[in-house]
């Protein structure tokens, strides 16, 4: 009881108890058993006590449990079993026929299923109408006849509904692929729009920089030797005053006169 409570309190589950069987001695016994009976022999059918009679500490449980799983067998069968659950090597949706149902549409996904599905839908509508007629009809003298009729219609509707649901489940990978394609196209469109907006902003900034260059070139345009422009002379003659004792308004007025 204490061990069980400790196991429940442990946030990380302990490894399976059979890991303790993988000792050096047991692995050597397994190699020796494999050498004596052959590499291709099935150890589950071999009496390990007779083959390893000259060895000590031969375990009571079969040494075949220590063998590694045969990957080639798993790939050949297409599935493997872990703790009683069967897992497929390649995930796939089992068809209605593989699940034991009555499949009415073609199994090959490359074949167009639309004609078969339309026939199934029409058959379902007709059968539903017949079911309503059988239920709403006046009660016959033989009650077993009307009961058998509506049961047949109900069973056939069940089979048709199973086919429609199975066909819809088969299209889930196609739907996922289509949704992924639409999402990637939308992301591509958004990136193109963002890139276009960035290029537009860069063109506007380049135009503003070009205007500023032209303005700067006109301000510092060259004049004949020995002469200065009127604006330059004004800048040269107006030395910056001592602004330590001037107010803000006075400094602004001086800046306007200079410019």
């Amino acid at each position: 009881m204490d061990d069980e409570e400790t196991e429940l309190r442990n946030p990380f589950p302990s490894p399976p108890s059979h890991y303790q069987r993988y000792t050096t001695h047991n692995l050597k016994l397994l190699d020796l058993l494999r050498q004596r009976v052959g590499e291709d022999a099935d150890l589950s059918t071999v009496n390990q006590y007779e083959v390893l009679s000259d060895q000590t500490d031969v375990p009571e449980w079969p040494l075949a449990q220590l063998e590694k799983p045969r990957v080639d067998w798993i790939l050949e069968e297409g599935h493997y079993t872990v703790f009683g659950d069967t897992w497929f090597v390649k995930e796939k949706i089992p068809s209605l026929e593989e699940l034991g149902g009555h499949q009415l549409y073609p199994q090959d996904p490359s074949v167009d299923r639309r004609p078969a599905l339309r026939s199934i839908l029409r058959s379902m509508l007709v059968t539903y109408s017949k079911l309503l007629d059988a239920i709403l009809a006046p009660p016959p003298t033989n009650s077993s006849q009307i009961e058998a009729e509506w049961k047949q219609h109900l069973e056939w509707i069940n089979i048709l509904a199973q086919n429609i649901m199975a066909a819809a489940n088969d299209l889930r990978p196609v739907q996922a692929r289509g949704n992924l394609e639409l999402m990637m196209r939308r992301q591509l469109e958004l990136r193109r729009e963002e890139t276009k907006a960035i290029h537009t902003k860069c063109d506007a900034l380049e135009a503003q920089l070009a205007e500023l260059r032209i303005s700067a070139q006109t301000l510092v345009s060259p004049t004949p030797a020995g002469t200065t422009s009127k604006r330059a002379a004004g800048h040269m003659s107006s030395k910056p005053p001592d602004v330590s004792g001037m107010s803000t308004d006075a400094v602004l007025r001086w800046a306007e006169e200079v410019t």
Side-chain angles (χ1 to χ4, degrees), residues 172-190:
R172 289 185 183 275
V174 181
Q175 181 185 12
R177 193 181 303 112
N179 291 337
L180 179 61
E181 184 179 354
L182 291 176
M183 183 179 65
M184 295 181 67
R185 286 184 178 179
R186 180 56 183 164
Q187 291 181 358
L188 185 59
E189 291 176 358
L190 290 176

Side-chain angles (χ1 to χ4, degrees), residues 1 16 27 52 59 70 96 101 132 142-143 146 153 156 162 164 175 178-181 189 199 208 222 256:
M1 186 65 181
L27 293 177
L52 301 176
R70 292 288 301 269
L96 182 60
L132 293 179
N142 188 3
S143 60
I146 184 64
H153 295 327
W156 183 239
Q162 289 178 358
I164 292 178
Q175 181 185 12
N179 291 337
L180 179 61
E181 184 179 354
E189 291 176 358
H199 286 316
Q208 292 180 1
E256 291 177 356

Side-chain angles (χ1 to χ4, degrees), residues 132-196:
L132 293 179
D133 293 340
I135 294 175
L136 299 177
T141 56
N142 188 3
S143 60
S144 61
Q145 180 181 358
I146 184 64
E147 182 179 357
E149 185 178 356
W150 72 263
K151 279 188 175 181
Q152 291 177 0
H153 295 327
L154 196 59
E155 291 176 358
W156 183 239
I157 289 177
N158 187 20
I159 293 175
L160 296 174
Q162 289 178 358
N163 278 267
I164 292 178
M165 288 188 294
N169 289 332
D170 290 343
L171 293 176
R172 289 185 183 275
V174 181
Q175 181 185 12
R177 193 181 303 112
N179 291 337
L180 179 61
E181 184 179 354
L182 291 176
M183 183 179 65
M184 295 181 67
R185 286 184 178 179
R186 180 56 183 164
Q187 291 181 358
L188 185 59
E189 291 176 358
L190 290 176
R191 291 182 181 181
R192 286 176 177 175
E193 292 176 359
E194 293 175 355
T195 305
K196 185 178 180 180

Side-chain angles (χ1 to χ4, degrees), residues 4-37:
E4 294 181 359
E5 292 180 356
T6 304
E7 181 67 22
L8 292 175
R9 293 196 192 100
N10 189 4
F12 300 100
S14 302
S17 58
H18 64 266
Y19 83 95
Q20 300 175 355
R21 298 179 178 179
Y22 288 87
T23 60
T24 305
H25 176 70
N26 291 337
L27 293 177
K28 288 181 179 179
L29 290 178
L30 177 64
D31 293 338
L32 183 60
L33 180 64
R34 176 62 66 187
Q35 292 175 4
R36 292 183 178 181
V37 300

